[in-house]
Amino acid sequence: MKNQSIKKNLDWSCVIIYSALVILGWLNIFSSSLSSPDNTYQKQLIFIVLTIPLIFIILAIDGKIYEKYASIIFVVSLISLAGLFVAGKTIAGQRCWYAIGSFTIQPSEFAKAATSLALAKYLSDSQINLKDVNRQIQALAIVFLPVFLILPQPDPGSALIYSIFFVVLYREGLPAWYVLTGAAAIVLFVLTLVIEPQYVILLALVALVLHYFKSRLGDRNIVLSSILFALMSGFVLSVSYVFENVFKQHHRDRFNILLGKTVDLKGIGYNTNQSEIAIGSGGWIGKGFLEGTQTKGGFVPEQHTDYIFTTVGEEWGFAGSLVVIGLFAALLLRIIYLAERQKTKFSRVYGYCVAGILFTHFFVNISMVVGIFPTIGVPLPFFSYGGSGLWGFTILLFIFLKMDANKVNEW
């Protein structure tokens, strides 16, 4: 009866879209690594096959177990991240993996699901009110604890994904100024890299003055506005120091190339330039499966991982790219729809975390590949090569689908 209930209540739309993305991902990995001597596409096929029993295990576990043990799962995840500093394997300058023989596993890929569960567990408490400062600190601690362990690996791409939790928290009552402050900081940071700091400060002053006079008389506060201006000015003046002394050289190079301040098509900008060439050469309908000249020539490094979408663009063209983007959009919209109809706050919050994480990966990866975002190593869900990534995203999604299938038993 229980198995029949799962079959009946499981959202098969998400399952079908997920399967389509995994299959299309493997086909593009096959194409991009066909001439590779390390049998990448064969390894990915093994990862995909092993995903099947993983899904059955996730669906077989009682949905309430994920809520009951969310805190324990989160703590175990933090321990696995901290353990990397002692027993982690360094690859390409990053200490992000545990090595078991020739097999490696990246715990940060699983930490996203663990953090989502922990945050959903915390916010589902009926006593939680995110207008309270203490509750805000506790909620933000759940988000930042894994970030503080991931950043020093260093893995800024994985750490960046956690910014989407602010949107989830805002959805659940976090004051809007948190999100607005983050957005303003990003805008001020980028502007300061493009134009002189004094002009950015002047723009900030004009914006604050306009906001002050557009506000109602009762809402005007000259002291608060002055403090905001002082903080914004201090932040702008600190950008140069942070950029030159905190960012690593390759991060600075990528930002400078993105902002048009440096042209280095043979060095740090090589990947992005070749990616753009490959995607552009695909035209409307692409060159055909296994017919991509940039792909077959190996011009785009890491094409089977972070740059897998270049294969889609070159061999499947604009039409194929649109299909892939459409599948991701359909999956995200379906998850949001399912999240909204959940009967428990825990399931709803977790659903929004799932949608947010998948969206951020999708958006950043595509933006990175087409040259409108710096290259920071963010994989495309279900497409990029790697067992940890595939399993991490699968766990993230199917835990939610299990919760959704179980909602008929909720009150």
Side-chain angles (χ1 to χ4, degrees):
M1 290 294 291
K2 190 172 182 180
N3 290 336
Q4 290 178 352
S5 177
I6 288 293
K7 291 178 182 178
K8 179 181 178 182
N9 299 313
L10 190 65
D11 189 81
W12 289 100
S13 297
C14 283
V15 175
I16 291 170
I17 296 172
Y18 161 85
S19 302
L21 288 171
V22 171
I23 292 170
L24 288 174
W26 183 82
L27 287 174
N28 283 277
I29 290 173
F30 176 81
S31 179
S32 63
S33 62
L34 186 59
S35 58
S36 174
D38 55 3
N39 301 320
T40 301
Y41 64 91
Q42 294 179 355
K43 293 178 183 177
Q44 187 68 9
L45 185 58
I46 294 173
F47 296 148
I48 292 172
V49 171
L50 292 175
T51 301
I52 297 173
L54 177 63
I55 291 172
F56 279 105
I57 293 171
I58 294 170
L59 296 179
I61 296 173
D62 189 330
K64 284 295 183 181
I65 294 295
Y66 299 114
E67 181 176 1
K68 183 178 180 180
Y69 293 102
S71 299
I72 295 176
I73 294 171
F74 182 60
V75 171
V76 171
S77 175
L78 293 178
I79 293 173
S80 71
L81 290 172
L84 288 170
F85 297 105
V86 178
K89 179 179 181 180
T90 301
I91 301 176
Q94 291 182 307
R95 200 177 183 88
C96 302
W97 295 267
Y98 287 109
I100 306 172
S102 60
F103 177 76
T104 58
I105 190 165
Q106 187 174 1
S108 63
E109 295 294 347
F110 305 97
K112 297 161 193 172
T115 305
S116 299
L117 287 170
L119 195 61
K121 174 69 173 178
Y122 180 76
L123 295 177
S124 63
D125 189 326
S126 60
Q127 304 301 316
I128 297 299
N129 181 0
L130 286 179
K131 302 300 181 184
D132 183 273
V133 175
N134 289 329
R135 297 299 190 184
Q136 293 171 14
I137 293 173
Q138 291 166 4
L140 292 175
I142 294 173
V143 175
F144 281 112
L145 278 173
V147 171
F148 290 147
L149 293 171
I150 291 171
L151 272 176
Q153 293 178 5
D155 188 2
S158 293
L160 173 67
I161 302 303
Y162 285 76
S163 62
I164 196 63
F165 287 119
F166 279 88
V167 178
V168 177
L169 289 170
Y170 171 70
R171 166 68 175 75
E172 297 302 323
L174 187 73
W177 70 265
Y178 278 96
V179 178
L180 294 175
T181 299
I186 293 172
V187 171
L188 289 174
F189 186 88
V190 174
L191 280 176
T192 307
L193 295 179
V194 176
I195 60 179
E196 294 296 325
Q198 59 267 30
Y199 297 122
V200 178
I201 293 174
L202 179 61
L203 287 172
L205 177 61
V206 171
L208 285 173
V209 169
L210 290 175
H211 179 266
Y212 181 83
F213 284 107
K214 286 183 66 178
S215 302
R216 294 179 298 178
L217 286 174
D219 295 332
R220 294 177 182 177
N221 188 326
I222 187 66
V223 175
L224 179 60
S225 297
S226 299
I227 292 173
L228 282 174
F229 177 67
L231 290 173
M232 293 170 77
S233 299
F235 177 79
V236 169
L237 293 174
S238 70
V239 167
S240 178
Y241 175 83
V242 171
F243 189 69
E244 296 296 334
N245 296 279
V246 177
F247 279 47
K248 294 185 180 296
Q249 183 60 49
H250 63 277
H251 292 143
R252 294 197 295 270
D253 291 338
R254 287 167 181 168
F255 267 99
N256 286 331
I257 289 171
L258 180 67
L259 298 173
K261 298 173 69 175
T262 303
V263 177
D264 184 12
L265 301 183
K266 294 183 178 180
I268 197 71
Y270 177 81
N271 286 24
T272 302
N273 181 57
Q274 291 298 323
S275 174
E276 292 174 3
I277 292 173
I279 293 175
S281 68
W284 288 99
I285 59 173
K287 296 177 179 177
F289 183 55
L290 303 180
E291 298 297 328
T293 53
Q294 294 291 113
T295 295
K296 292 296 163 290
F299 290 101
V300 184
E302 306 300 328
Q303 192 165 349
H304 59 291
T305 55
D306 298 340
Y307 282 84
I308 189 65
F309 194 73
T310 60
T311 307
V312 179
E314 182 179 28
E315 297 190 349
W316 304 63
F318 178 79
S321 300
L322 200 60
V323 169
V324 172
I325 292 172
L327 286 171
F328 273 108
L331 180 62
L332 291 169
L333 291 173
R334 185 64 183 173
I335 293 171
I336 293 172
Y337 169 76
L338 295 178
E340 278 297 325
R341 70 176 193 175
Q342 295 304 302
K343 295 182 179 180
T344 67
K345 189 174 183 179
F346 175 80
S347 299
R348 185 184 75 236
V349 173
Y350 182 79
Y352 271 102
C353 289
V354 174
I357 290 170
L358 292 177
F359 170 77
T360 308
H361 267 275
F362 163 73
F363 178 78
V364 172
N365 180 272
I366 300 297
S367 299
M368 181 181 74
V369 168
V370 299
I372 60 175
F373 200 88
T375 300
I376 55 173
V378 173
L380 185 61
F382 316 121
F383 259 71
S384 294
Y385 168 79
S388 296
L390 176 61
W391 297 335
F393 290 124
T394 298
I395 291 170
L396 182 75
L397 174 62
F398 276 87
I399 286 178
F400 177 62
L401 293 183
K402 172 63 178 184
M403 293 177 185
D404 179 67
N406 194 53
K407 71 180 180 298
V408 294
N409 302 316
E410 303 287 358
W411 293 90

